[in-house]
Amino acid sequence: MEFETTSSWIWDGVHHHPHVFGCLMLTAALLGLSTSYFGGIGLSSFPYMCWDLGFFYKKRCEKKKPIRVYMDGCFDLMHYGHANALRQAKALGDELVVGVVSDEEIISNKGPPVLPMEERLALVSGLKWVDEVIANAPYAITEQFMKTLFNEHKIDYIIHGDDPCLLPDGTDAYALAKRARRYKQIKRTEGVSSTDIVGRILAVNDTKACNHDDKLSSPGDSFTGNQSSSAHISQFLPTSQRIVQFSNGKRHDRGRQGPGPNAHVVYIDGAFDLFHAGHVEVSLTTRILLPAKILRCARQLGDFLLVGIHTDQIVSEHRGKHYPIMHLHERSLSVLACRYVDEVIMGAPWEVSKDMITTFNISLVVHGTIAECNSMLAGIADPYAVPKSMGIFRILESPKRITTTSVAQRIVANHEAYMKRNAKKAESEKKYYAAKVYVSGD
């Protein structure tokens, strides 16, 4: 270690200034010859110097083994809290492997999931920090599964948040990993959880029932209130740092770059509420993910994908008073976390104007075949009239018939089961917040 430290300047010289360093070495060699002539150091010392540098060069060129970290979860109703957890996990290593808990394990430990395995896999694999995905992971880290992680998947550390994850018998789900000293902890993202989102949807349905409208029939009249009057208000506190963190590239240490002057910029807009598998979808064959995604399809049409996210007011006007379920900043972070998205416009206008196309150098505007809007607003002006007149508009076939309303309908259809699940989860979250302390990091 002492040799490496004292000789580091040699390698830096070779790497950054090869020509200068070469001249210095040649001078040293000539000095060696001259001193040899006068009975000094002699040529015999020069080969040792060459061996010294060769040894150091070889040592420096040895490939460093990547640190592989593992994080698991249900990832039901994917939100920016999940994305932020995986972002933090990736920052603790070089490669992130994510285990998605099976439907059966979720049912036995927490209650019925809203999204089935295939849809949850689609959402997790679409995040830019995820390198590999393991389907049907166990809810608890058993000894056998831990050995599989260490031996087959070459995992160095198992990651989880600072909030406790308890099994039905009250034991710690990560006890074995902690005992093996292969466990690392990240900071929980406050202000959101799947339980909270389910609660928002159930509260909306309860309000609708009080208004004597107990049937989710269409996107326009599904939620007949305003999010601000809902019993579940978002507790998310957006910061500039969080937006920058999510705006970074696929690696946590590399920022995004804007499009070049000749880049083919593709633009797609929408609400992107309850970021679901209709936005990011995969086909599952055994454990291989075959991407067939709306955002990926849009990205493949150009060099740079710009996503416009409509304001809460616009979404409410066009889809109903209780939309959006997630507010603008929450929706923006979810979209930013997608590996196919290069940039977002937070609060994009409803109509795509000529000025907007010029400002962002947009080459193509695309829109999916499945979109939610209020049928009562059918007579409004076409928001894509300008790009259509310019011949730069294209319809993309949406890969899956999943919408925010259809996801909400699943929860409402199993209202009693989710009420029980939320009551149980709410109790544990209440205990967490009562014992909560500040955790540094993130």
Side-chain angles (χ1 to χ4, degrees):
M1 293 300 290
E2 181 181 349
F3 171 80
E4 186 174 352
T5 302
T6 56
S7 302
S8 61
W9 66 274
I10 297 175
W11 172 253
D12 292 337
V14 173
H15 181 72
H16 297 291
H17 307 286
H19 300 296
V20 175
F21 201 84
C23 292
L24 289 173
M25 292 306 298
L26 180 59
T27 303
L30 291 172
L31 286 172
L33 287 170
S34 63
T35 51
S36 173
Y37 181 80
F38 291 104
I41 297 172
L43 273 172
S44 58
S45 63
F46 189 69
Y48 291 102
M49 184 184 293
C50 295
W51 176 87
D52 178 81
L53 285 175
F55 169 81
F56 193 75
Y57 179 79
K58 183 180 179 181
K59 190 171 183 179
R60 282 285 186 152
C61 287
E62 285 178 356
K63 243 187 174 182
K64 180 187 174 186
K65 176 186 175 295
I67 297 174
R68 288 170 60 83
V69 295
Y70 172 83
M71 188 172 194
D72 59 16
C74 302
F75 303 105
D76 199 17
L77 287 178
M78 175 66 74
H79 50 71
Y80 64 90
H82 292 135
N84 192 45
L86 295 175
R87 179 193 66 79
Q88 292 181 77
K90 179 63 176 280
L92 295 176
D94 301 303
E95 297 172 357
L96 173 61
V97 180
V98 180
V100 181
V101 177
S102 69
D103 295 344
E104 295 75 20
E105 289 272 279
I106 296 175
I107 292 171
S108 61
N109 286 279
K110 299 177 67 174
V114 178
L115 305 180
M117 169 60 69
E118 184 178 358
E119 292 178 21
R120 291 184 288 115
L121 280 173
L123 292 167
V124 172
S125 65
L127 295 181
K128 62 191 176 188
W129 298 289
V130 177
D131 296 297
E132 295 178 26
V133 179
I134 299 176
N136 296 308
Y139 188 80
I141 302 292
T142 63
E143 188 171 353
Q144 181 180 356
F145 184 68
M146 190 166 67
K147 287 180 179 178
T148 300
L149 290 177
F150 295 158
N151 299 329
E152 294 183 19
H153 297 281
K154 309 301 179 185
I155 298 300
D156 295 292
Y157 297 102
I158 295 171
I159 316 293
H160 187 63
D162 62 294
D163 54 318
C165 182
L166 303 179
L167 299 174
D169 62 2
T171 58
D172 184 355
Y174 295 90
L176 288 175
K178 290 176 181 177
R179 282 203 293 268
R181 298 191 176 184
R182 304 280 286 273
Y183 176 85
K184 287 190 176 184
Q185 186 172 280
I186 59 169
K187 189 173 183 177
R188 170 176 166 156
T189 304
E190 306 298 346
V192 69
S193 66
S194 296
T195 304
D196 169 58
I197 296 172
V198 169
R200 296 187 204 185
I201 295 171
L202 291 175
V204 163
N205 185 65
D206 290 342
T207 302
K208 186 164 57 63
C210 291
N211 291 336
H212 309 290
D213 182 12
D214 58 356
K215 191 174 184 180
L216 279 171
S217 56
S218 70
D221 60 11
S222 293
F223 299 139
T224 56
N226 191 296
Q227 193 183 54
S228 61
S229 64
S230 169
H232 277 71
I233 305 299
S234 169
Q235 302 300 314
F236 175 54
L237 300 175
T239 64
S240 58
Q241 181 188 18
R242 181 70 74 231
I243 294 171
V244 169
Q245 289 169 338
F246 273 58
S247 295
N248 286 341
K250 293 179 183 178
R251 294 238 349 139
H252 59 271
D253 56 353
R254 186 180 67 193
R256 290 170 185 257
Q257 294 183 348
N262 299 317
H264 195 78
V265 179
V266 179
Y267 178 75
I268 185 171
D269 60 7
F272 297 96
D273 199 13
L274 294 183
F275 202 70
H276 52 68
H279 301 136
V280 181
E281 188 230 5
V282 298
S283 300
L284 182 65
T285 305
T286 62
R287 292 170 72 171
I288 302 174
L289 298 175
L290 304 175
K293 311 174 182 182
I294 186 67
L295 289 176
R296 182 173 189 259
C297 290
R299 179 63 176 80
Q300 287 180 328
L301 295 175
D303 308 308
F304 192 91
L305 180 59
L306 175 65
V307 180
I309 305 173
H310 296 315
T311 65
D312 296 347
Q313 182 180 351
I314 287 176
V315 177
S316 181
E317 287 174 356
H318 290 271
R319 298 192 179 179
K321 292 181 182 178
H322 268 299
Y323 281 99
I325 300 297
M326 312 289 285
H327 67 60
L328 177 61
H329 289 108
E330 295 176 307
R331 292 181 285 121
S332 296
L333 290 183
S334 293
V335 175
L336 275 171
C338 179
R339 67 171 71 246
Y340 308 114
V341 176
D342 293 296
E343 183 62 284
V344 303
I345 299 175
M346 299 173 65
W350 177 251
E351 295 185 20
V352 182
S353 66
K354 177 68 169 64
D355 179 69
M356 180 178 168
I357 291 171
T358 303
T359 298
F360 292 100
N361 196 27
I362 295 171
S363 305
L364 182 66
V365 177
V366 299
H367 190 60
T369 54
I370 299 175
E372 296 181 278
C373 63
N374 194 327
S375 57
M376 295 173 61
L377 301 175
I380 63 172
D382 183 358
Y384 304 108
V386 171
K388 285 179 181 178
S389 68
M390 297 173 64
I392 60 169
F393 180 79
R394 179 171 172 178
I395 289 287
L396 283 182
E397 185 69 29
S398 298
K400 200 157 190 167
R401 296 195 64 85
I402 302 174
T403 63
T404 298
T405 301
S406 69
V407 173
Q409 284 175 330
R410 298 179 193 180
I411 296 171
V412 173
N414 294 282
H415 186 279
E416 187 175 345
Y418 286 113
M419 286 291 286
K420 288 181 179 178
R421 169 181 162 175
N422 267 29
K424 180 180 177 182
K425 186 69 176 176
E427 189 62 32
S428 64
E429 289 199 359
K430 184 178 178 181
K431 291 179 180 177
Y432 163 75
Y433 281 109
K436 176 185 169 184
V437 295
Y438 174 75
V439 177
S440 63
D442 192 20

